[in-house]
């Protein structure tokens, strides 16, 4: 009997470890804690409040690529992997924007719909909001509103979901997954989850086009089947930022989580400054980021680096069901099978004895 209980307990512990690993990668650190990414010369190349793991990759603002090889405490040691090559963009559209200062109109042939939401509904900006977290009504919503209004001014149709996904814990992405799935039914060209980071203010402070703003970091989850397509989309967005608003990009972080990006090849998580930056500067930064999107999404077919269906919706390809849910279901089935098999095996062994 004791053997049976021990076996069942071991299996359940294994199950808890597996399921915890699926979500722990997406957790954030406690207040006033952040990771410092260090290169081979012990220079700090980036700081973030997001959990960092060996195997994560950071593409810096200057396109230098670093891979995390060791994490000790809150220090992540990285090795340099060369310069990342970004895709080329629609030269004619860029030239029109840079010379005349006129935002390129969204192509009539393009899908002009963008979905926006917030997984972390409490995220706020201390200098403006008074504290870093406001339950269900964080300052991040004001940043989202500024982003949405700028997109609308550029001709995009925006589907903005303000669902509250609190509490801010490791299950927040499970709750926001329902929101993202609902938004994808609108067939948007892209779906964007708007966040802010948690670092010292200098990490994101910048002056771009004569304005004091916060920089924008793009985050890609490497634990999902769309990771390479998501990364290509992120690189297009960074290339556009570098041309339209030089100095705005805080690079691309490719982390262990999935951030619900398995739902769409054009799902993106953006970090708009940190809790230590002012909300007003974050609003200015996200407006500049919005100006990069027409170059990437308002394509008229001349962008050779676009995906196979650049004007199609940011939904899963046909036949590719909710793989995040499928993976979890398969794990549950496997665990149940192991438990049942173990039970019958032990029961049979004890009966023979």
């Amino acid at each position: 009997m004791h053997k049976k209980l021990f076996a069942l307990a071991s299996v359940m512990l294994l199950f808890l470890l597996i399921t915890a690993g699926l979500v722990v990668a997406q957790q954030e650190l406690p207040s006033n804690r952040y990771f410092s990414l260090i290169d081979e010369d012990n220079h700090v190349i980036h700081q973030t409040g997001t959990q960092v793991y060996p195997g994560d990759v950071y593409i810096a603002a200057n396109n230098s690529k670093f891979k995390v090889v060791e994490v000790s405490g809150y220090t992540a040691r990285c090795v340099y992997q060369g310069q990342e090559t970004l895709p080329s963009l629609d030269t004619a559209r860029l030239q029109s924007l840079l010379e005349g200062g006129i935002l390129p109109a969204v192509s009539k042939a393009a899908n002009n719909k963008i979905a926006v939401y917030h997984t972390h509904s409490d995220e706020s900006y201390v200098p403006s909001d008074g504290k870093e977290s406001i339950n269900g009504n964080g300052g991040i919503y004001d940043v989202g509103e500024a982003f949405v209004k700028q997109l609308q001014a550029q001709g995009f149709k925006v589907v903005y979901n303000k669902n509250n996904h609190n509490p801010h814990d490791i299950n927040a992405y499970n709750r926001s997954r329902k929101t993202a799935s609902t938004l994808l039914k609108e067939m948007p060209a892209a779906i964007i989850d708007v966040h802010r980071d948690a670092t010292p203010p200098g990490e994101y402070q910048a002056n771009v086009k004569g304005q004091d703003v916060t920089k924008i970091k793009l985050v890609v989850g490497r634990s999902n089947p769309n990771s390479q397509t998501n990364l290509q989309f992120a690189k297009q967005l960074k290339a556009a930022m570098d041309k339209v608003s030089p100095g705005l990009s805080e690079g691309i972080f490719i982390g262990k989580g999935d951030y619900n990006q398995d739902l769409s090849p054009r799902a993106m998580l953006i970090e708009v400054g940190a809790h230590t930056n002012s909300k007003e500067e974050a609003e200015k930064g996200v407006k500049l980021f919005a100006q990069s999107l027409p170059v990437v999404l308002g394509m008229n077919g001349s962008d050779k680096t676009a995906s196979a269906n650049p004007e199609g919706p940011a939904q899963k390809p046909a036949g590719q069901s909710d793989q995040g849910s499928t993976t979890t279901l398969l794990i549950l089935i496997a665990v149940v099978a192991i438990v049942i098999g173990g039970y019958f095996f032990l029961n049979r062994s004890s009966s023979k004895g």
Side-chain angles (χ1 to χ4, degrees):
M1 184 66 180
H2 292 296
K3 289 182 178 180
K4 292 180 183 179
L5 291 174
F6 177 76
L8 289 173
S10 299
V11 170
M12 291 309 298
L13 177 60
L14 176 62
F15 169 72
L16 290 174
L17 289 172
I18 291 172
T19 53
L22 293 175
V23 293
V24 74
Q26 297 171 169
Q27 73 180 6
E28 295 183 5
L29 301 180
S31 179
N32 299 320
R33 293 285 191 179
Y34 53 88
F35 281 98
S36 293
L37 277 64
I38 309 293
D39 66 12
E40 295 100 323
D41 297 320
N42 290 322
H43 295 144
V44 176
I45 55 176
H46 183 57
Q47 294 176 320
T48 181
T50 300
Q51 188 77 32
V52 177
Y53 294 90
D56 291 348
V57 173
Y58 176 60
I59 300 172
N62 64 359
N63 297 326
S64 296
K65 184 177 180 180
F66 298 89
K67 184 174 183 178
V68 178
V69 293
E70 179 187 3
V71 177
S72 176
Y74 294 104
T75 299
R77 299 203 169 272
C78 306
V79 294
Y80 176 64
Q81 295 195 310
Q83 290 294 113
E84 186 72 15
T85 301
L86 298 186
S88 59
L89 298 167
D90 188 323
T91 306
R93 295 178 68 79
L94 274 172
Q95 198 66 23
S96 173
L97 174 61
L98 296 174
E99 288 184 356
I102 301 172
L103 293 171
V106 178
S107 168
K108 291 182 180 179
N111 180 351
N112 71 336
K113 191 179 294 183
I114 294 179
V116 178
Y117 71 108
H118 307 279
T119 289
H120 293 150
S121 311
D122 67 310
E123 290 184 330
S124 301
Y125 298 82
V126 176
S128 305
D129 297 318
K131 49 186 177 179
E132 64 185 80
S133 176
I134 300 174
N135 188 26
N137 191 30
I140 196 67
Y141 282 108
D142 293 325
V143 175
E145 286 281 2
F147 182 44
V148 167
K149 288 179 180 177
Q150 183 63 41
L151 288 171
Q152 291 171 333
Q154 295 167 198
F156 285 104
K157 181 178 180 181
V158 184
V159 186
Y160 185 22
N161 188 300
K162 299 181 181 180
N163 280 353
N164 180 348
H165 303 113
N166 281 349
H168 189 144
D169 59 17
I170 59 175
N171 290 312
Y173 284 95
N174 291 335
R175 292 187 289 273
S176 70
R177 189 177 187 83
K178 294 181 180 179
T179 296
S181 297
T182 299
L183 286 169
L184 286 170
K185 292 178 182 178
E186 298 288 331
M187 308 289 278
I191 180 168
I192 298 177
D193 189 1
V194 181
H195 293 247
R196 59 107 178 105
D197 207 340
T199 69
E203 185 68 28
Y204 283 90
Q205 284 177 334
N207 187 282
V208 179
K209 295 184 175 181
Q211 302 181 72
D212 289 329
V213 304
T214 66
K215 291 184 279 188
I216 307 292
K217 183 174 71 179
L218 306 171
V219 179
V220 175
R222 58 184 172 93
S223 304
N224 81 84
N226 285 321
S227 60
Q228 289 305 309
T229 312
N230 294 143
L231 178 56
Q232 180 67 7
F233 181 44
K235 292 198 293 187
Q236 288 178 342
L237 290 171
K238 185 182 185 303
M241 275 193 280
D242 290 347
K243 294 291 185 180
V244 177
S245 302
L248 181 64
S249 173
E250 179 58 10
I252 302 171
F253 181 73
I254 306 160
K256 185 179 179 181
D258 63 34
Y259 308 108
N260 291 329
Q261 290 174 346
D262 60 299
L263 293 174
S264 166
R266 285 219 211 100
M268 192 53 52
L269 189 159
I270 64 171
E271 300 275 17
V272 187
H275 71 295
T276 50
N277 297 118
S278 79
K279 182 169 62 181
E280 293 73 23
E281 292 182 1
E283 291 171 351
K284 292 176 183 177
V286 83
K287 286 180 180 179
L288 290 180
F289 171 68
Q291 292 183 18
S292 302
L293 284 166
V295 179
V296 177
L297 296 177
M299 295 178 283
N300 55 16
S302 61
D303 187 345
K304 296 180 181 179
T305 65
S307 59
N309 185 20
E311 294 172 355
Q315 61 178 16
K316 294 184 203 176
Q320 185 179 344
S321 60
D322 189 334
Q323 299 197 30
S325 300
T326 302
T327 300
T328 303
L329 179 60
L330 289 174
I331 291 173
L332 285 171
I333 292 172
V335 169
V336 170
I338 291 171
V339 171
I340 294 174
Y343 174 80
F344 280 109
F345 175 77
L346 291 171
N347 205 30
R348 184 179 178 183
S349 298
S350 60
S351 64
K352 286 183 178 180

